Amino acid sequence: MKSESHRRFLQFPVLVCAGCSILPFVAVHGAFVVSASHGFVDWCNPYWDSCTSISATGRHPPASYVFRGLMLPIAMLLLVYWWLQSVLLEKFSVARSRRVSMLGCGILASIGLALYVTVLGEIGDVWRTQRRIGAILFFSLTFLAQLLLAGGLCAVAGEESQAVRSAGHRILRLCQIMLLVGLVSVGVQLFDENMHDNIEDAIEWQLALLLQLNFAFSVSLWWQDVWQLRYETNAGVRESD
């Protein structure tokens, strides 16, 4: 019974990490399908055509019910996610300053997402400012938190931690791609404002997808490389006793 209970506990971080990756994808694309079906946005490939923003997909009912109904719980789930990652880094003796910085960025990013979602669709300069602040907090601080997580994982010592470092490098590579996409966007904006307006929405979709993929990469950390290995080791110790 104790062994079965332990296994169920080990599944919790895996479900949180998977949820942080899958649920935003479902929320955004589900809202897009509903909104396009009702004629609020065009049927298109938003990752390439830059035909609509993510905000526009969840602005009008009934698509807004899908968007808000999933995104607000996701904001809470992200708080749990970043707490779990801070526990993970602590297990690997990563510097406390890095852990605290990562957790702080993650918490503020989650708050930013909640600020953005709660006023989506509201009309007025005050609500528009809140949406902008929320979006900036979410994207920028989630990126920084993922970068801090990747750096901590890449620095883990020990031959047995090779899989953990590999996961860290995967997260880091995606962060580098996100940074490159962001720099390209800024460069285009500096040289051609009209061109930037034409690609801005597509870049937003691409960055959101990359953020979700980074959450997916952390699933393996909990399922195989950390807790399962620790459980098997502890089980062997108990049997030998």
Side-chain angles (χ1 to χ4, degrees), residues 82 98 142-152 171-172 175-176:
W82 289 115
R98 178 181 291 272
T142 298
F143 170 79
L144 287 176
Q146 290 182 343
L147 195 62
L148 288 165
L149 173 63
I171 296 172
L172 181 60
C175 287
Q176 291 169 339

Side-chain angles (χ1 to χ4, degrees), residues 183-221:
L183 290 175
V184 169
S185 176
V186 172
V188 171
Q189 185 176 22
L190 290 174
F191 288 100
D192 193 333
E193 188 74 31
N194 291 329
M195 183 178 179
H196 179 264
D197 291 341
N198 292 331
I199 66 172
E200 183 178 11
D201 291 335
I203 288 175
E204 180 185 83
W205 282 82
Q206 293 163 13
L207 289 175
L209 181 62
L210 291 171
L211 287 178
Q212 293 158 25
L213 287 175
N214 255 350
F215 289 125
F217 282 155
S218 62
V219 171
S220 63
L221 288 168

Side-chain angles (χ1 to χ4, degrees), residues 25 59 68 82 91 94 102 105 153 156 159 189 199:
F25 186 89
R59 191 169 290 153
R68 290 187 182 184
W82 289 115
K91 293 293 182 182
V94 173
M102 181 198 70
C105 287
L153 296 174
V156 173
E159 187 174 332
Q189 185 176 22
I199 66 172

Side-chain angles (χ1 to χ4, degrees), residues 15-24 74 77-78 81 211-212 215:
L15 293 175
V16 171
C17 296
C20 288
S21 177
I22 296 171
L23 290 179
I74 288 167
L77 191 65
L78 285 169
Y81 173 89
L211 287 178
Q212 293 158 25
F215 289 125

